[in-house]
Structure formats: structure tokens, C-alpha cells
Amino acid sequence: QVAQPADADAALSDIFTACLTSQRSILASGGPTASPLAARFFANLARAAQSLGPAAPRPAARAAELLAAVDSAAASGKLTGDSPKNIRTWLQQDSLHQWRPRLEELIRSQDWSTLDAMFWTAIPFGTGGRRGPMGEMGPATINDRTIAESAHGMAVYLRSTGCSSGSVVIACDTRNNSPRFSRIAACVFAAHGLKVFLFESHRATPVLSFAVRHLGCSIGVMISASHNPPADNGFKAYWSNGGQVIPPHDKGIIREV
């Protein structure tokens, strides 16, 4: 496991301290290393240890400190809804580790309004899919994670219907991040073993609907937020008939997401 920079500093500090303690004992006893050269070496070692400053908190202590800050913000009303619970999940769940440094940064800077906007709820996967404001992380925004979990849930549900292979066609509009989100969805579906058709550039939603039927795909996805504001985006789900998912498929996908 690769240590985080703070952990590496703490480990180095511990090594320096152990070396210094051991060497002071040897020097005090007049042992064989009690020479001017050894003394200079360990003096330099001491200066290097000093330059590191106080050892960084261990991961467990750091996590406890962050969680305590989140609880305090919730108690004072700075975090609302499901923010405390969702932030805890994103801090502790291993599969979310790539967002942890930025999340820790926001907690330490006490940017509670930004955190609340990203974590206060989870965008529901309703009839037709999900859409909402884009954000860098959190279940209350459309981001890499929420797009990936939407594609994952749709793929898992498709398998549960008895489809052993299957295919999907994906299109996107011209909104910010739409091409990126479409590639993320494509990667998730491919990882589930589906054959993926991905348009090379933006397309209108009716083109995606036609492509599902024309290519004989099991499902389709349109990365778009339709008439929502420009800062929004979304994941629109289509079934094999080229129409947006309806009961019972919508509830099945919602359950898996």
C-alpha cells in the first residue's frame, strides 16, 4: 500500500526518532560509533527530523477528527438533510477513496455550504433516469460517480431479466462534461460484458432512440438533462423499444442503483 504524503512524513519522523534514541544511547556509553564523524551524521539527522515538524496524525486519528468535525457541523445546522450520513460514507468507503483528499480539504476548510450542496440527498433514479446539477462529487450532483453507478445499476438489472449478452448504444448532447460522462458509462457497460456503441460526437435525443431500434440494442443511454438549466446534466435510460424505461423496468433499475 502506497502511503499518503502525510503518512510518509509521520513514518520518517518515527524512523528518525528511533535512530536518534538508539544513537544517543550508544554515544552516551562511549560505544564504537562515538566518533566526530558519527556525531556530525546524527546531528544532521536531528536537523532533518526537526524540519519535518510535528508528525502528521495517523489515518485512524485523522478520520476520527474529520468525522467529529462533520458531526459538529450537523449539530450546528451547517449540514442538512442526509449530508452527515453521505459524507461519512464517502469518507469511509474504500471504493470512494479517489475523492477523499478533496473531501478532507473541504472539511478542514469548513466549506460546509459547498459540502451540503453536494451531499444533502441522493439524486433519485426516477422514470426515465436521473438529472440534476453537476458537481465534483457527492450523491446530490451529477458527476463521474453518479453516472458510473447509474450505468452499473442499469447493467445489473438488464442481466437480471435473463439477458446473457446484450448491447447498448450511448449518445450525449453538447452540455459540459457530456462527452466525458458518455465515455464513463461506456466503460462501465463494457466491464459488464455488453457490446457498446458510442457516438463519436453529440447527437439529438431522437437519434439515440432510433439507434436503439436500428442497431437492435438491449438498452440505450442519453447523457443529457433535456430542458434543465445549463449547469445540469443527466443520465436518461432507454429500453430495447427505443422508449424511455417504464414500469416494471424503471423500478428494477432504481432498485439496483
Side-chain angles (χ1 to χ4, degrees):
Q1 182 179 357
V2 179
Q4 295 296 320
D7 298 335
D9 283 354
L12 283 171
S13 183
D14 287 349
I15 292 168
F16 283 138
T17 301
C19 287
L20 287 171
T21 301
S22 174
Q23 199 58 33
R24 282 181 188 134
S25 176
I26 293 172
L27 290 170
S29 66
T33 57
S35 67
L37 180 61
R40 283 200 302 275
F41 172 77
F42 285 102
N44 289 335
L45 190 62
R47 281 193 291 273
Q50 255 186 342
S51 71
L52 285 174
R58 296 299 190 190
R62 189 166 66 242
E65 177 188 344
L66 294 168
L67 293 172
V70 169
D71 290 341
S72 176
S76 61
K78 294 173 183 174
L79 291 175
T80 63
D82 290 333
S83 284
K85 179 187 72 174
N86 290 333
I87 291 173
R88 280 179 167 272
T89 298
W90 281 59
L91 277 173
Q92 297 174 314
Q93 193 167 305
D94 288 342
S95 62
L96 296 165
H97 69 91
Q98 70 188 85
W99 288 278
R100 200 164 296 151
R102 175 59 176 154
L103 183 54
E104 290 188 12
E105 179 185 337
L106 290 170
I107 293 171
R108 292 190 186 283
S109 64
Q110 299 184 21
D111 194 348
W112 304 120
S113 59
T114 297
L115 286 165
D116 203 42
M118 296 190 294
F119 288 93
W120 71 277
T121 190
I123 295 178
F125 196 109
T127 300
R130 317 169 86 173
R131 55 187 173 188
M134 285 181 279
E136 58 183 312
M137 71 178 96
T141 69
I142 296 295
N143 54 64
D144 292 0
R145 171 72 184 195
T146 48
I147 290 292
E149 67 187 16
S150 299
H152 169 73
M154 196 171 181
V156 171
Y157 174 71
L158 178 64
R159 291 282 185 245
S160 74
T161 65
C163 180
S164 59
S165 53
S167 58
V168 56
V169 58
I170 303 169
C172 69
D173 63 10
T174 58
R175 289 171 180 264
N176 288 338
N177 296 313
S178 284
R180 173 185 175 83
F181 291 156
S182 66
R183 290 193 294 271
I184 290 172
C187 289
V188 173
F189 285 124
H192 276 277
L194 275 70
K195 182 176 182 179
V196 178
F197 297 92
L198 178 63
F199 281 100
E200 61 184 0
S201 63
H202 60 275
R203 293 290 191 276
T205 300
V207 175
L208 182 279
S209 178
F210 169 79
V212 172
R213 290 170 287 139
H214 179 71
L215 296 170
C217 290
S218 312
I219 52 176
V221 169
M222 182 73 195
I223 302 297
S224 172
S226 300
H227 56 274
N228 279 38
D232 288 10
N233 215 325
F235 180 103
K236 298 171 71 174
Y238 291 77
W239 206 245
S240 56
N241 61 0
Q244 286 187 269
V245 293
I246 58 173
H249 302 309
D250 58 343
K251 291 180 175 58
I253 296 171
I254 291 167
R255 185 171 60 249
E256 298 300 340
V257 172

